[in-house]
Amino acid sequence: MTYLDGPGFVAVGSSVVGGREPATARPAVWTSRDGQHWTALRDAGGLTDGVTDVVAHRGELLAVGRADGPTGAGVVWRSRDGTSWTKLATSTLGGPAEQHVDRVVELADGTLLAAGSELAGSATVTRLRRSTDSARWVSTRPRYL
């Protein structure tokens, strides 16, 4: 969840649709002016795939997640109002295996840092990526203490 002047509070995630198997998870967006009363957007404002986090960045909102499919790439969407979203072209969030972008934060210098994971053989490895423009992402390897 995040706050941006204009739309107020915006939260993203998934809603499970259908009470029978197989249930289908769909992206979901909720907005609130006061943080107490929430409204769900009917079609998630155009978000597709799996959305996991949202951040306010330079006067707009950025949501992150993963494209559906066996080799889904990380995905970033942009919105100025929290109700209408546009998927950005982010070829640097893909790879030969499934990619997840689970969280995104804006650092003090305005750089974006995204945390997620990637399948590497039979293991899942952590991936950190940095961006200054929300479209080009550079992989950063975590140091382990």
Side-chain angles (χ1 to χ4, degrees):
M1 176 176 55
T2 193
Y3 180 84
L4 183 68
D5 285 336
F9 294 95
V10 177
V12 299
S14 298
S15 290
V16 177
V17 179
R20 299 180 202 191
E21 291 297 324
T24 303
R26 295 200 175 129
V29 177
W30 299 270
T31 60
S32 173
R33 294 275 179 207
D34 60 11
Q36 294 180 355
H37 303 91
W38 292 86
T39 302
L41 296 184
R42 180 165 299 264
D43 65 357
L47 286 175
T48 57
D49 308 311
V51 60
T52 55
D53 200 12
V54 63
V55 65
H57 176 69
R58 297 182 180 160
E60 60 187 13
L61 297 164
L62 297 173
V64 297
R66 163 183 96 71
D68 290 334
T71 58
V75 181
V76 179
W77 297 269
R78 173 182 286 149
S79 177
R80 293 202 181 277
D81 61 9
T83 63
S84 178
W85 296 85
T86 302
K87 186 185 279 190
L88 300 178
T90 54
S91 61
T92 52
L93 288 176
E98 185 175 303
Q99 311 279 316
H100 289 255
V101 180
D102 300 315
R103 298 286 176 254
V104 62
V105 296
E106 182 181 42
L107 303 177
D109 67 358
T111 300
L112 295 164
L113 180 65
S117 61
E118 175 181 317
L119 292 178
S122 61
T124 301
V125 295
T126 300
R127 288 288 180 243
L128 297 176
R129 294 178 175 94
R130 297 172 62 95
S131 177
T132 56
D133 65 3
S134 70
R136 290 181 303 268
W137 295 81
V138 176
S139 186
T140 303
R141 295 220 176 237
R143 287 186 11 204
Y144 295 97
L145 302 176

